[in-house]
Amino acid sequence: MTQTGAGVIGDPLLEAPAVPAVGEAAPDFELVNQFGEPVTLSELRGRNVVLVFFPFAFSGICTGELCEIRDNLALLEDADAAVLGISVDSKFAQRAYAEKEGYSFDLLADFWPHGAVARQYGVFDAESGMAKRGTFIIDAGGTVRYVVVNPRGQARDFTEYRAALAGLGGN
């Protein structure tokens, strides 16, 4: 490995894989939710899954996006979709955030190893130590069917989720 000013070239913690493309298998993972319970992506097979990576709990844009999901959760559930919000915050921060905002869906702690799942999905920003705003809709068979990664400071469009899920149909 070669040393640089930003880190070590060849260090797997600094080099993130590419964002999974539509049609690829979704990388499997296990993280704990806000209650410390393990959630494994592959155990959700048979249902559609909406993965929503967000930078940090309690931040403005993130709260707006997740509140929109909260307020429209029935639409996602009608598409037989489980919602998983993922950030690098601890399970303790995730629980306080979920309680404060009334989120009934799982918030997963990608806390340690720091951002490991965000790295798997190609949405970890090593410079800032946070996840980018990445959304992945995964079908019941575990295949990625929709991907969007928004630039910093730009909220996602919830209507795009609905259209992507409508294309999958219920199971």
Side-chain angles (χ1 to χ4, degrees):
M1 288 191 235
T2 307
Q3 193 75 20
T4 69
V8 178
I9 296 173
D11 182 344
L13 294 179
L14 295 178
E15 295 178 9
V19 172
V22 170
E24 290 183 4
D28 198 18
F29 62 84
E30 181 177 288
L31 292 172
V32 296
N33 67 11
Q34 65 265 39
F35 303 107
E37 303 162 334
V39 176
T40 305
L41 181 62
S42 58
E43 289 180 2
L44 294 171
R45 292 273 161 78
R47 293 188 71 191
N48 299 315
V49 177
V50 180
L51 294 183
V52 180
F53 288 91
F54 61 98
F56 294 110
F58 298 104
S59 58
I61 293 173
C62 298
T63 298
E65 290 178 322
L66 295 180
C67 284
E68 188 166 16
I69 291 171
R70 176 201 64 204
D71 296 345
N72 293 282
L73 195 57
L75 296 171
L76 299 170
E77 290 171 344
D78 287 348
D80 196 27
V83 176
L84 303 176
I86 304 173
S87 76
V88 298
D89 296 293
S90 72
K91 68 182 177 186
F92 305 107
Q94 298 288 36
R95 187 166 187 174
Y97 188 40
E99 286 175 0
K100 180 181 184 299
E101 298 299 337
Y103 302 143
S104 60
F105 50 91
D106 283 328
L107 295 183
L108 306 182
D110 194 10
F111 183 72
W112 197 257
H114 188 73
V117 174
R119 283 183 178 89
Q120 276 184 280
Y121 279 80
V123 296
F124 185 74
D125 183 346
E127 283 187 32
S128 64
M130 67 182 188
K132 298 175 187 173
R133 293 179 199 289
T135 304
F136 299 84
I137 295 180
I138 300 162
D139 70 17
T143 302
V144 176
R145 296 296 177 195
Y146 170 87
V147 175
V148 66
V149 180
N150 283 22
R152 180 179 282 186
Q154 181 181 327
R156 291 167 267 216
D157 183 355
F158 183 78
T159 58
E160 291 181 13
Y161 298 10
R162 289 174 37 186
L165 284 165
L168 297 179
N171 293 316

